[in-house]
Every structure is written in C-alpha cells, then in structure tokens.
Amino acid sequence: MIKQAIAIFDIDGVIRDVGGSYRRALADTVEHFTSQAYRPTPLDIDNLKSEGLWNNDWEASQEFIYRHGENQGKTREQMQLDYQQIVAYFQSRYRGTDPENWNGYICNEPLLLQPSYLEQLTQSGILWGFFSGATRASATYILEKRLGLQSPVLVAMEDAPGKPDPTGLFATIRLLENGINQQQTVIYVGDTVADMHTVQKARILDNSRPWIAVGILPPHVQETAHRDDYTETLIKAGAEVVFSNVQELTPEKIQQLQIN
C-alpha cells in the first residue's frame, strides 16, 4: 500500500506546454512595447525566471521592457509604462481577440499528462490538486475543457499571492484535506525556481509535515544544450528530483521519495 501523500501540481510547463503560448505571448509583448527593438529568446526568459521573482508572465514582460529601456540609458520613471496596457496586449495574444470564444495561443497548447495518470494517483490513495500562477480562467480552460476534469481543487492567480509566497500552497492543502489534517507528506511539482522556493518557504513556516519539491523540465529546454543547466538550477533551488515529464512521478516514485 502506498503511504498516503498529497501531490500538488503547477500547471504551466508541467500540465501543459506553454513554449508556444505564454512564452510566445511574453516575447510578442516585449517586442511590441520596445517598438520591435528587442524580442527575448527562450534562454533570456529562462534566465529571468531563474532569478526566482518572475513567475507572473505579465510582470516578467514589464521587467524585460524596463531592462531594455535601461540598457538604452532611460530610467524606469522616464518610461512610464502602463501595466494594464501590457496585460491587455499580452492577453490579446494569449487568449486571442474574442473574449467569449478564445482564439489565441492557448487553444494550441500541447498537454503533458493524461487524465489516466491522475486516476492512478487517486487509486493509490494520493490526494492531488493544482496551485498555479495562471489566471483561474486559463487554468480552468486547460483542466476542465481540455483534460475533462470535474471541478478539480485549484488555487489560481486571483486566489493567493504569487510564488514563491507559499500561501496558495497552504490553501490548496486545506482544500484537499477538507478538515482532516493528517500531516501527510506534501509534494509540489513545478518547473521553475519560484516553484522550488515555494516549497522551501512552506517548510520554514510549517515543519509539522514532510515537504518535497519535484522539478519538471519544461519541453522548450529538453532538446537543447541548456537542459543540464536547467536541471542543475532546479536542484540548487531545492528540487529532490527532476523529471522530463510529470507522469514519471508515479505512485511508486512518490512512495520512494517519502522513504528517502
């Protein structure tokens, strides 16, 4: 029998491949607001996110624009960026131009797991849910419309402060435990430094249970020379193990991680 545990998943880069959607929208946005002078590469985006502060892609877009302007000798005050305009442009690329029937990059995101994987966890007595920096609408679209899940436990952008603040992780656990606190091991699965730091901060605030950070290599780095560096970055940030796909975190592997 698998020792009971709680598995909580990030969504972007773990449940869905956002290389051609969120990341593409981010690059489009930076390019637009720098008047086509600068478009961040995938490596540029990884390097920014490795700082651990830019889990929110709207804020990451703004930061890239600011840094580009600073490289041109401007101050942030001189640039007078309108954050809401940045968000609106980003969303016009990511969600699309039709607010009712989305027609943007989100429609073509490849899925990185199958519902049968989550069924395996349930059959093994493992509770599971999602804590993501994605908007609730975007997260629900992928979980319910694309994966066919029925009202899964989800804490999204609107529900908690951004990572690495662990408030949303704690909220997800409360929803899953539903009043029965058994101090089970919590495994948080993510693809960024901010995800790993979230677990580290949770451990500091609550040492009453074991915490395990599991890293996932997002698809955009898997066939690049950057792969080993990305893996090492996640491990240095606190990952116990790094997988190429979330479905490698089997119930048996979860048991093994709890023993180690």
Side-chain angles (χ1 to χ4, degrees):
M1 178 68 185
I2 301 291
K3 185 179 177 184
Q4 283 197 321
I6 295 172
I8 299 174
F9 302 94
D10 181 30
I11 292 177
D12 303 333
V14 176
I15 306 300
R16 60 179 170 192
D17 179 358
V18 295
S21 56
Y22 265 124
R23 285 169 164 263
R24 185 178 174 191
L26 189 162
D28 286 355
T29 302
V30 175
E31 188 173 48
H32 175 77
F33 284 94
T34 60
S35 302
Q36 281 64 54
Y38 171 57
R39 182 179 181 87
T41 66
L43 183 57
D44 290 340
I45 297 171
D46 286 340
N47 287 339
L48 183 74
K49 287 183 175 285
S50 72
E51 296 176 13
L53 301 171
W54 310 106
N55 193 65
N56 181 317
D57 285 332
W58 301 337
E59 293 175 359
S61 300
Q62 178 176 252
E63 184 64 16
F64 270 125
I65 299 162
Y66 271 137
R67 292 187 188 187
H68 173 76
E70 287 172 336
N71 288 338
Q72 308 305 308
K74 300 175 186 173
T75 66
R76 297 190 177 213
E77 291 73 22
Q78 287 172 326
M79 283 179 262
Q80 294 185 322
L81 295 181
D82 184 326
Y83 181 67
Q84 293 309 318
Q85 284 186 6
I86 291 170
V87 171
Y89 185 84
F90 184 106
Q91 294 296 75
S92 75
R93 310 299 288 174
Y94 180 64
R95 291 187 181 181
T97 52
D98 185 337
E100 298 301 321
N101 299 295
W102 292 354
N103 55 7
Y105 300 151
I106 188 174
C107 300
N108 301 312
E109 291 172 331
L111 298 175
L112 300 175
L113 64 66
Q114 299 302 315
S116 56
Y117 165 73
L118 298 170
E119 290 166 15
Q120 282 178 16
L121 298 185
T122 299
Q123 289 166 8
S124 298
I126 296 165
L127 300 174
W128 52 268
F130 304 92
F131 168 42
S132 171
T135 63
R136 176 162 285 275
S138 168
T140 299
Y141 179 89
I142 206 75
L143 297 177
E144 297 189 6
K145 187 165 183 177
R146 295 286 307 283
L147 277 171
L149 305 179
Q150 300 296 313
S151 301
V153 167
L154 166 66
V155 172
M157 177 194 283
E158 299 90 335
D159 307 318
K163 293 177 278 189
D165 187 313
T167 302
L169 187 58
F170 292 138
T172 313
I173 294 164
R174 285 195 298 273
L175 289 169
L176 288 167
E177 289 183 328
N178 196 24
I180 304 170
N181 189 348
Q182 298 179 326
Q183 306 305 318
Q184 297 177 75
T185 298
V186 172
I187 298 169
Y188 186 52
V189 187
D191 69 319
T192 67
V193 167
D195 294 327
M196 303 303 104
H197 286 176
T198 301
V199 179
Q200 305 277 49
K201 290 178 180 291
R203 188 180 291 124
I204 292 168
L205 292 172
D206 177 10
N207 62 5
S208 67
R209 66 167 90 229
W211 298 88
I212 299 171
V214 171
I216 302 295
L217 286 177
H220 74 272
V221 302
Q222 295 201 18
E223 303 301 325
T224 70
H226 184 40
R227 178 191 177 108
D228 290 345
D229 290 340
Y230 200 102
T231 301
E232 188 62 31
T233 296
L234 291 179
I235 290 171
K236 283 181 178 175
E240 296 278 335
V241 64
V242 177
F243 295 122
S244 295
N245 180 269
V246 62
Q247 294 177 136
E248 294 172 45
L249 183 66
T250 61
E252 293 73 25
K253 192 66 184 179
I254 289 173
Q255 175 85 332
Q256 188 180 334
L257 285 168
Q258 291 185 87
I259 294 170
N260 292 347

